[in-house]
Amino acid sequence: MGMDRRDFLKTCSLLAVGGLLFGCRKNALSEISDGLAGRIPDERLFEEEVRLALSMSRKELDLVAVPMPKALETKGEKSPNRFGMVIDMAACNGCGKCILACNRENNVPLVTEEDAARGRFMHWIEIRGGAPFMCAHCGSAPCEKVCPTGAASHTPDGLSTMMYKRCTGSRFCGANCPMQARKFNFNDAKSLGLSRQFNKEVPLRSKGVMEKCSLCLHRLQDDRLRFKTESAVAPGASAEWRGRGVKTACMEACPRKAIVFGNWLDGESPLVKAVSGRTLYAPRSLAPFDPSVLFLMEGR
């Protein structure tokens, strides 16, 4: 008798845990379970898939020093903001809680048993070199340059975005990303029972489109609307929206505060404060494209 999906993932996860005893980070998988006890079975399916993904993670990061990101000019429009993130590899222990949080926040679907066995997950965040890796939101994004429909585009605030209704699934963007940070949706996750809409603010995606990290764009949009509303009723307030106080789901979930989101152009941003006096790094293959998601290696 064949295994069902749950038994399959559980078996793979147990094998993975055994392998982790011989070299991987000691608490990486056990920490995922912390705080999940008593949750609904649906959530445990996502937990099990992340466990499996962590056990299969073998990719490394070849990092080089880069300067702090500067202001962008997008289609002739300048913005006082450029949002991004930094990941402190000295603080991160590869626990994977950021992946779980991202999956829930952005309704990232499960994959079939066959895809899971091949390590082909839809996760917008992966663990590479022992640290989270996601779309770097490059200022000169190579993925956007080859999109035939304009589905892959850039905002004045520095985010590389996806317009899913425009995406025709050419996969040119994925092929042109040096780090393969984009994921192609091979399955009709909804009809296969693999998708869950944990967050109503983020739409479920259909088969045949590319997906990737959005830097929780919906949270930024909500905060911008709040700011505009407050400014309208309080004219004496600041006239510029800087996105202060916004956190991504992965940043909120990180127990070691290894992930910091913010505005590269705002001196009051926690992001700018976190990198003060420290060297910034980016994957070597992405460094020429002015990435907005960077890494720290040495401790303070």
Side-chain angles (χ1 to χ4, degrees):
M1 183 181 294
M3 289 186 183
D4 62 17
R5 177 185 172 77
R6 174 183 283 273
D7 290 337
F8 171 81
L9 288 176
K10 281 185 175 178
T11 301
C12 292
S13 299
L14 289 172
L15 291 173
V17 171
L20 285 169
L21 295 176
F22 298 93
C24 291
R25 295 188 177 204
K26 184 176 179 181
N27 296 319
L29 298 185
S30 61
E31 286 191 6
I32 297 178
S33 298
D34 295 347
L36 286 176
R39 288 191 177 180
I40 60 175
D42 276 2
E43 296 187 52
R44 292 201 181 97
L45 285 175
F46 286 81
E47 175 199 357
E48 289 161 6
E49 188 177 89
V50 171
R51 283 176 177 266
L52 180 58
L54 287 177
S55 73
M56 301 171 77
S57 176
R58 296 293 182 267
K59 296 179 180 178
E60 296 298 323
L61 286 173
D62 179 17
L63 300 177
V64 296
V66 294
M68 183 181 291
K70 300 293 191 298
L72 296 176
E73 184 170 342
T74 306
K75 296 179 180 178
E77 182 179 356
K78 283 190 175 180
S79 169
N81 307 311
R82 182 175 179 183
F83 295 103
M85 196 146 57
V86 70
I87 296 154
D88 191 339
M89 298 182 70
C92 177
N93 69 350
C95 71
K97 288 184 178 179
C98 55
I99 304 176
L100 278 172
C102 176
N103 288 355
R104 283 182 48 84
E105 180 74 13
N106 297 291
N107 304 319
V108 176
L110 299 164
V111 296
T112 64
E113 294 179 4
E114 293 75 18
D115 283 342
R118 296 168 60 186
R120 194 165 70 182
F121 304 100
M122 287 300 296
H123 303 164
W124 293 4
I125 302 176
E126 300 176 350
I127 298 296
R128 298 193 188 185
F133 173 83
M134 67 287 289
C135 169
H137 295 265
C138 301
S140 179
C143 53
E144 297 168 13
K145 294 181 171 75
V146 296
C147 178
T149 64
S153 60
H154 221 81
T155 73
D157 292 328
L159 276 66
S160 181
T161 60
M162 273 300 300
M163 298 179 66
Y164 295 115
K165 290 187 177 181
R166 281 191 181 181
C167 181
T168 57
S170 71
R171 288 186 271 175
F172 294 163
C173 58
N176 216 39
C177 173
M179 297 291 288
Q180 291 77 54
R182 290 170 172 263
K183 304 297 180 69
F184 183 69
N185 202 328
F186 285 94
N187 303 307
D188 184 347
K190 188 173 182 179
S191 67
L192 292 174
L194 299 174
S195 62
R196 306 288 187 278
Q197 192 158 18
F198 293 112
N199 183 1
K200 299 297 183 183
E201 287 195 62
V202 178
L204 297 177
R205 281 75 64 189
S206 60
K207 178 180 179 180
V209 301
M210 298 296 292
E211 301 190 14
K212 69 172 197 69
C213 163
S214 69
L215 283 181
C216 288
L217 174 62
H218 54 286
R219 294 191 176 196
L220 284 167
Q221 290 173 328
D222 287 347
D223 190 68
R224 190 198 298 266
L225 179 60
R226 175 200 60 77
F227 179 86
K228 286 184 176 180
T229 302
E230 291 179 357
S231 297
V233 298
S238 172
E240 280 192 329
W241 173 71
R242 309 309 300 273
R244 293 174 185 165
V246 176
K247 296 180 180 179
T248 57
C250 57
M251 177 181 174
E252 285 184 335
C254 181
R256 300 173 68 91
K257 303 187 186 305
I259 303 174
V260 182
F261 171 81
N263 188 343
W264 287 114
L265 307 184
D266 180 10
E268 296 301 312
S269 170
L271 176 62
V272 175
K273 292 179 178 179
V275 305
S276 178
R278 304 180 72 180
T279 303
L280 294 167
Y281 295 87
R284 186 182 299 275
S285 60
L286 291 181
F289 301 108
D290 189 20
S292 294
V293 177
L294 303 177
F295 295 83
L296 300 170
M297 294 175 66
E298 72 286 352
R300 287 190 178 276

